[in-house]
Amino acid sequence: MKNLIVAIDGPAGSGKSTIAKLLAKKYDLTYIDTGAMYRMITLYLLENNIDINDLKEVERVLNTVNLDMQGDKFYLDNVDVSTKIREKRINDNVSKVASIKIVRSNLVDLQRKISNNKDVILDGRDVGTVIFPNAQVKIFLIASPEERARRRYNEFLEKKTEITYDEVLKSIKERDHIDSTRDESPFVKADDAIELDSTNLTIEEVINFISKEIEKAKWTTHD
Ligand code: CDP
């Protein structure tokens, strides 16, 4: 009996986390938000004024800091940082941190470890290409940059963050560029991933589409 692994990769604002959370509930899967881990490391480096070019120091941080996830809550050295990791300053720096080789290898190890022996759904940039190339379901969820910026802008408005739509669009495009052109496991579609464009789809439509893939895959795992 094999465990089920569902990989949802996609750019900022494509709807990955909303969709992954709903599917986790529907199919009783453990949800792992891989981006949150890069965000937590970024927060630690920023708050402790650590130069990201000082790789010895970055490595020391990776070996000492404790990352913990419980449902929607994220703990950095036992402190709840769930709100802080979504701040603009993290968005502005996370892609630089995520392009550091040692950061990636350390977090990929952790992501595999916490997925071990569980039925899981993970969202991120390299789930289907690097973390779990053998995932039974691989979705590459995309949407136009304008639609993604609109979604992110609305999230910022709800949190009362002062930011304009144009700033959000610019930051999303910058992150897309850094993520997809970095040397270490760049953000690309896995050859066998199914591409789904959510620009004009409702959440329910996306859920229905991916549900069919999960149900097909369940036959080859648990039954
Ligand atoms: O939610 P959003 O798509 O804005 O971002 P996220 O999934 O929280 O990821 C934040 C950043 O972490 C991304 O822009 C990537 O630079 C990095 N990341 C990555 O490199 N690999 C992953 N598996 C997940 C995130």
Side-chain angles (χ1 to χ4, degrees), residues 104-142:
R104 301 208 68 80
S105 59
N106 187 288
L107 292 187
V108 168
D109 283 350
L110 180 61
Q111 288 149 6
R112 289 187 183 136
K113 198 166 127 201
I114 58 182
S115 304
N116 194 29
N117 283 323
K118 295 188 189 91
D119 291 329
V120 286
I121 181 163
L122 303 95
D123 76 353
R125 301 290 189 290
D126 60 343
V127 184
T129 50
V130 176
I131 312 174
F132 288 119
N134 296 326
Q136 294 92 339
V137 180
K138 289 189 191 180
I139 306 292
F140 193 72
L141 190 62
I142 58 164

Side-chain angles (χ1 to χ4, degrees), residues 31 40-41 43 54 61 69 71 82 87 101 111 114 120 123 138 154 170 175 179 187 204 209 221:
Y31 167 50
M40 285 197 272
I41 296 296
L43 177 67
D54 183 349
V61 169
M69 282 137 283
S82 316
E87 287 173 3
K101 185 174 180 178
Q111 288 149 6
I114 58 182
V120 286
D123 76 353
K138 289 189 191 180
N154 286 338
K170 184 165 172 270
R175 213 136 55 87
D179 290 345
F187 169 49
E204 199 188 350
F209 181 94
T221 52

Side-chain angles (χ1 to χ4, degrees), residues 18-36:
T18 307
I19 299 298
K21 277 183 213 161
L22 290 167
L23 289 169
K25 219 170 178 184
K26 182 168 176 185
Y27 292 102
D28 197 20
L29 309 171
T30 300
Y31 167 50
I32 298 171
D33 177 346
T34 64

